[in-house]
Amino acid sequence: MDETSDSSTPYQSPYANPAPLAPATPELREYPFSFHGNGAEYFRIWIVNVMLTAVTLGIYLPWARVRTRKYFYGNTLLNDRTFDYLAKPTALLKGYLIVTLAMIIYNVVGTINPLAAIPIMLLYICVAPWLIFKSLRFKCHNSAYANVRLRFVGSLRESFGIYLGFLILILLTFGLIIPYQAYLSKKYMFGNLAVGQSESETKIEPGKFYLFYLAYLVPTGLVFLLAIIAAMAIPVATGMLEKAKQTQDENRARIETAEEALAQIRADDEAADDAIDNDAPLTAADDPDDATMLPDADADEDVDPEDFESMEGGLFVIFVSLYVLFILLSILLQQFVFVRTTNYTMTNTTLGSCRLHSDMRARDMIWITVSNVFLCIVTVGIFIPWAIVRLRKYRIEHMKLFAYGELQDFVAAKEAEQDATGDAAADFLDFELGF
Amino acid sequence: MPDQFTSFQARLSAAGSSATQLVDVIRTTADTLRITGPDVAGGSIEVPLGECVFRPPLGRIRRVIELPDDSTLESDDLEIVDQLGSASPSGHRQRMIHHMESKWQWVLASIPILMLTVWIVYRFGIPAMAESVAFKLPVSTLVSASEGSIKLMDKLMFNDSELTEERQDEIRRGFDDVVAKLGSDDYEFELHFRSMNKVPNAMALPSGDIFVTDALINKAEADEEIFAVFAHELTHVERRHGMRMVLQDSGVFFLSAVMLGDVASAGAAISGAPAALANSGYSRNFENEADAGAAHYCVECGWTTSPMQTMLKRIAPPGGSAVAGWMSSHPDTKERVRRLKELEIKLLDKLQKEKAAEE
């Protein structure tokens, strides 16, 4: 019943008593995402999944994948409502089979004739934007929040522009527009989501991406420099060993053929000989033509095999530690860029009257990733489920939704069914597809 | 029935709508659920239990029941809903899996079952598949697969041989003898002399092209040592090790992609390591098989296996001990020599028995 026509209520000036009116802007409320899964529980699901996948020679993989996603989505809560993953495993299986077939064709052709593999590779690259598009549509369509499926409303044309057009431009500009492509990609993925009647909108700037990547590229450049120096140092060092060996062989020959001359030289250089006794091979390599460097025949026998072995062992240790260092640094830099770009993109994404927010910290993510890798290695993989849960929990619980007043209800819009080809391709080719 | 009057709390939502209301659900008869709530039309509705679809349980996530009109009930009363759903005709297999996941004995049993399966597939499945595929391929594919490699190796690794024509001919005669004794007609064996920065080495391409470096020839003190190496390389060709290796690599790649599918994100950088280790395991098996081929040839020629043993010791890298055996693509030299000695005893025994049988 209309309030103004209610005669039992006496007239009151709205200026005199504004209290009964709803405030013009309801207060801004914060809705945190929370994650309720735990490692021990996921371990049981994971191990049974992996076991059944192995026993069925991979056929079970789509069922395992759906179960895993259902577990993670179902344990993610927002405003006391859960997410859900609704894909049918048989749809995923179809996609997996197509992708497996494509990989087999590529491998077999590449083995028989590496040149013939190039056009196939190019074909796959051309198909990739379509796969990414399909994959995003499939993933969103099969993800639901509070009983309503999400939608992806990006266009196929845009996907081709970003993942094929810009790929070519990246090659032409020697990678200078990689940050710009990353910007477009994030905008494409986050700015084209829809729930019910609300569509997402992402307002971000490419300049910020250049800033994040610059902070990433400078240390990466240093790491590469380090790697190049190491890569050069190893052959140089082995070359020195070879040379030293060679010099020793030559020396031995000279010793045999010119005993008298050697005796003469030895007499001349007795003092110098003592000094170079132990590291004879290396000093000899520094200046192989210098006759005074001829080592004493007996000392030669003592130094030879052990010295070379320990030197090559040392090189191996250097190589392994460089490899480990390289992995650590790449984790560090990757996580840095991931955290910064994701926080920035999410925080500038709105959905209807709501705004997303993410406040992960790079150092936390680096610590989680590095300690996860370490613990997974130390426990021979047993820690993997805990590692995954830990990472997911951190990422999800650093997400929030800001809304004015109560979260509104969504009603689903009709959309055509998608097939699973894209989803499977993305999983196999490991595209990074945000959340 | 004991569970006739079970009841639980749930949220009722219409199909495709996030609008929800709190309701009480009571099982009034063996196959009826009554849903009551302040906003339910008419105060309460009754649905036949048999027409409800219970989404399979998983972990401790909220349980969902689909009602006949496509609306859904979500509930946190997991045990009660699971019990109600256990009689449901659909989702039987998924419930079985949930049961496995819930019981620690099943979980613990999964670990050895998993390890055994992976080991069987790795040790027997992949090699057997690679072998059968490799031997089904026509030789022409092996030849075309090798064509590019020769050019590439000449560009990147090899220089022209510095051996004299006479020396090359001498060695080639020995090679022809190895081909006559061990080779089949399927391949056109060809010996190529190259130098490789003083590294003693020999290698075979699947096509039957065999490469030997000057340093290896110069290191040998007797030509039998070189011929033993030829027998080793020829066995690689005959047994199609090159092609099998490539196929097994792909097999391991797929195995690890399937097994580590979820893990890749946890550390893509380290996932290459197990595959590389697995491949070096295959490679060692092939080397052992090729050594056995060399042993056969040597014993047949009446040399015992000592030329092969000597050659192995000669070309053993001085720093070989730095890399553990299980990481290396070639088995440890001492181990290879030991195997050769064992095989020699067996082969000589067999020869003697054959002779005795003839007499």
Side-chain angles (χ1 to χ4, degrees):
Chain A
M1 204 178 270
D2 204 342
E3 215 177 305
T4 48
S5 66
D6 197 336
S7 55
S8 65
T9 312
Y11 174 76
Q12 272 186 330
S13 164
Y15 305 106
N17 191 8
L21 280 180
T25 46
E27 63 167 327
L28 187 65
R29 278 182 62 182
E30 185 185 300
Y31 296 91
F33 286 76
S34 61
F35 184 73
H36 298 260
N38 67 75
E41 188 179 58
Y42 180 53
F43 172 76
R44 292 177 291 172
I45 292 166
W46 174 80
I47 193 79
V48 171
N49 268 344
V50 177
M51 185 270 284
L52 289 174
T53 305
V55 170
T56 58
L57 302 176
I59 301 294
Y60 187 73
L61 190 62
W63 280 265
R65 190 56 55 88
V66 168
R67 251 186 122 61
T68 304
R69 289 239 175 92
K70 266 188 177 296
Y71 180 77
F72 281 100
Y73 282 42
N75 277 307
T76 305
L77 266 76
L78 173 68
N79 195 26
D80 202 31
R81 300 301 302 271
T82 60
F83 287 78
D84 198 357
Y85 184 67
L86 302 161
K88 290 202 162 49
T90 43
L92 280 173
L93 181 65
K94 199 178 79 185
Y96 286 172
L97 289 177
I98 292 170
V99 172
T100 308
L101 193 71
M103 297 293 272
I104 287 174
I105 290 173
Y106 178 74
N107 265 5
V108 168
V109 172
T111 309
I112 291 167
N113 187 352
L115 281 177
I118 295 170
I120 296 182
M121 190 53 159
L122 288 175
L123 178 78
Y124 288 176
I125 289 172
C126 291
V127 175
W130 179 77
L131 287 177
I132 294 173
F133 170 74
K134 281 278 180 188
S135 155
L136 285 166
R137 295 236 300 188
F138 181 85
K139 220 173 208 170
C140 287
H141 177 76
N142 286 299
S143 302
Y145 167 66
N147 201 32
V148 181
R149 284 174 192 262
L150 309 186
R151 281 175 297 137
F152 183 75
V153 295
S155 71
L156 180 61
R157 231 179 74 189
E158 218 180 325
S159 179
F160 267 97
I162 298 166
Y163 301 108
L164 187 63
F166 265 84
L167 195 75
I168 296 165
L169 284 179
I170 284 172
L171 292 176
L172 292 177
T173 57
F174 304 104
L176 275 177
I177 55 165
I178 287 176
Y180 196 81
Q181 199 249 4
Y183 149 79
L184 285 177
S185 175
K186 280 268 191 216
K187 199 173 154 75
Y188 180 65
M189 286 176 187
F190 282 89
N192 286 309
L193 301 171
V195 192
Q197 306 305 318
S198 322
E199 289 189 6
S200 69
E201 198 179 346
T202 301
K203 283 182 182 153
I204 48 176
E205 314 228 319
K208 284 270 190 186
F209 275 71
Y210 272 92
L211 214 68
F212 299 141
Y213 272 78
L214 208 65
Y216 164 80
L217 277 173
V218 173
T220 312
L222 286 176
V223 171
F224 269 110
L225 208 68
L226 202 81
I228 289 168
I229 291 169
M232 275 162 69
I234 289 170
V236 167
T238 29
M240 270 160 63
L241 283 175
E242 290 273 324
K243 237 183 181 179
K245 239 185 218 174
Q246 208 179 308
T247 321
Q248 279 191 332
D249 287 345
E250 283 166 18
N251 287 348
R252 219 179 273 147
R254 274 187 243 174
I255 289 161
E256 277 165 16
T257 52
E259 287 272 17
E260 292 97 77
L262 180 67
Q264 188 60 42
I265 291 159
R266 208 188 286 157
D268 288 347
D269 290 278
E270 239 167 21
D273 240 24
D274 286 342
I276 56 162
D277 232 20
N278 258 345
D279 41 15
L282 272 180
T283 36
D286 287 337
D287 200 351
D289 294 330
D290 193 342
T292 57
M293 287 299 180
L294 276 182
D296 178 289
D298 297 334
D300 184 12
E301 294 286 330
D302 287 338
V303 169
D304 196 7
E306 291 85 359
D307 236 33
F308 285 134
E309 260 178 46
S310 68
M311 285 233 15
E312 283 189 10
L315 283 177
F316 180 71
V317 170
I318 292 172
F319 185 74
V320 167
S321 39
L322 269 173
Y323 182 66
V324 171
L325 187 75
F326 196 79
I327 289 177
L328 285 178
L329 277 171
S330 61
I331 289 176
L332 198 141
L333 298 169
Q334 261 173 19
Q335 290 303 324
F336 178 80
V337 170
F338 171 77
V339 165
R340 288 301 159 89
T341 54
T342 307
N343 279 352
Y344 175 61
T345 310
M346 279 204 178
T347 305
N348 289 290
T349 297
T350 54
L351 185 73
S353 60
C354 311
R355 189 167 62 80
L356 270 173
H357 178 83
S358 166
D359 52 12
M360 295 183 282
R361 290 200 308 185
R363 69 193 108 140
D364 293 342
M365 282 293 281
I366 290 163
W367 162 243
I368 290 172
T369 315
V370 170
S371 54
N372 271 354
V373 169
F374 174 77
L375 286 167
C376 287
I377 294 172
V378 166
T379 59
V380 214
I382 295 295
F383 189 72
I384 288 169
W386 278 270
I388 295 172
V389 163
R390 198 172 154 222
L391 193 71
R392 287 291 185 101
K393 193 175 170 71
Y394 182 85
R395 282 171 61 174
I396 289 168
E397 300 204 331
H398 281 81
M399 278 165 63
K400 284 182 200 115
L401 196 71
F402 285 107
Y404 291 103
E406 289 292 321
L407 276 186
Q408 284 169 350
D409 287 324
F410 310 111
V411 179
K414 283 275 167 206
E415 207 209 15
E417 292 283 318
Q418 296 297 314
D419 68 352
T421 319
D423 194 55
D427 279 335
F428 243 79
L429 305 172
D430 203 26
F431 291 135
E432 202 236 299
L433 289 172
F435 75 96
Chain B
M1 284 185 99
D3 59 344
Q4 177 140 350
F5 296 105
T6 44
S7 70
F8 58 93
Q9 284 208 314
R11 292 160 179 277
L12 178 66
S13 316
S17 166
S18 72
T20 185
Q21 52 175 311
L22 281 174
V23 292
D24 286 309
V25 185
I26 306 166
R27 185 179 187 179
T28 47
T29 67
D31 53 14
T32 316
L33 287 182
R34 179 189 291 157
I35 301 165
T36 52
D39 296 327
V40 175
S44 79
I45 44 172
E46 291 205 348
V47 287
L49 190 57
E51 285 174 35
C52 298
V53 177
F54 288 77
R55 292 216 190 132
L58 170 63
R60 300 197 59 79
I61 67 172
R62 215 165 260 178
R63 303 294 189 247
V64 180
I65 305 167
E66 293 170 16
L67 300 180
D69 65 347
D70 284 340
S71 56
T72 52
L73 286 172
E74 287 170 45
S75 176
D76 281 325
D77 293 331
L78 311 184
E79 282 74 20
I80 297 169
V81 178
D82 286 353
Q83 211 199 338
L84 271 177
S86 62
S88 170
S90 66
H92 178 68
R93 214 175 302 145
Q94 296 259 11
R95 274 200 302 280
M96 219 167 67
I97 289 162
H98 175 70
H99 179 76
M100 282 168 78
E101 289 162 353
S102 313
K103 297 272 178 279
W104 276 103
Q105 53 267 44
W106 262 110
V107 170
L108 290 176
S110 294
I111 298 171
I113 295 173
L114 169 67
M115 285 163 72
L116 189 71
T117 318
V118 170
W119 187 76
I120 289 171
V121 171
Y122 165 71
R123 189 68 188 81
F124 303 105
I126 292 177
M129 270 169 72
E131 189 177 343
S132 80
V133 172
F135 280 101
K136 279 197 182 88
L137 288 173
V139 178
S140 60
T141 59
L142 301 177
V143 174
S144 69
S146 307
E147 268 167 4
S149 311
I150 298 179
K151 282 178 200 148
L152 205 68
M153 287 198 303
D154 273 339
K155 221 177 215 173
L156 298 176
M157 289 162 59
F158 291 142
N159 294 309
D160 289 336
S161 169
E162 288 162 9
L163 295 177
T164 60
E165 286 286 323
E166 295 84 63
R167 183 75 181 120
Q168 289 195 8
D169 287 341
E170 219 170 270
I171 295 165
R172 212 172 291 251
R173 273 195 291 281
F175 178 76
D176 290 340
D177 181 62
V178 177
V179 172
K181 284 209 174 86
L182 289 186
S184 61
D185 296 335
D186 297 343
Y187 311 89
E188 283 179 35
F189 291 102
E190 199 184 336
L191 182 62
H192 304 268
F193 293 95
R194 294 284 190 278
S195 80
M196 193 176 136
N197 201 17
K198 312 238 168 186
V199 179
N201 203 354
M203 61 187 74
L205 291 177
S207 54
D209 292 286
I210 289 169
F211 293 83
V212 63
T213 66
D214 293 356
L216 186 133
I217 290 170
N218 292 335
K219 275 213 172 188
E221 276 167 24
D223 284 354
E224 285 85 357
E225 294 171 13
I226 304 168
F227 303 150
V229 171
F230 289 161
H232 171 102
E233 296 302 330
L234 200 124
T235 312
H236 276 320
V237 177
E238 282 287 338
R239 300 296 306 147
R240 302 200 172 179
H241 287 164
M243 184 54 77
R244 282 160 69 185
M245 196 69 198
V246 171
L247 291 167
Q248 288 178 359
D249 280 2
S250 319
V252 170
F253 171 77
F254 278 116
L255 183 71
S256 48
V258 167
M259 292 289 96
L260 302 173
D262 282 345
V263 194
S265 51
I270 51 163
S271 60
L277 288 181
N279 288 337
S280 68
Y282 287 140
S283 162
R284 288 198 301 277
N285 289 338
F286 287 154
E287 291 306 322
N288 288 334
E289 201 182 349
D291 279 353
H296 272 274
Y297 177 73
C298 290
V299 170
E300 207 178 312
C301 292
W303 304 333
T304 72
T305 60
S306 64
M308 189 65 198
Q309 291 176 32
T310 326
M311 189 42 114
L312 285 178
K313 285 176 200 159
R314 281 191 214 287
I315 60 172
S321 54
V323 182
W326 51 271
M327 281 169 73
S328 166
S329 65
H330 282 59
D332 181 50
T333 304
K334 278 178 201 151
E335 170 69 16
R336 288 173 80 176
V337 169
R338 189 187 61 76
R339 277 173 189 273
L340 282 172
K341 281 178 182 159
E342 270 179 22
L343 198 61
E344 180 182 301
I345 296 168
K346 270 187 210 158
L347 288 170
L348 288 174
D349 263 7
K350 209 173 130 193
L351 266 184
Q352 268 179 345
K353 269 177 201 159
E354 275 171 13
K355 266 185 198 164
E358 273 175 34
E359 280 163 16

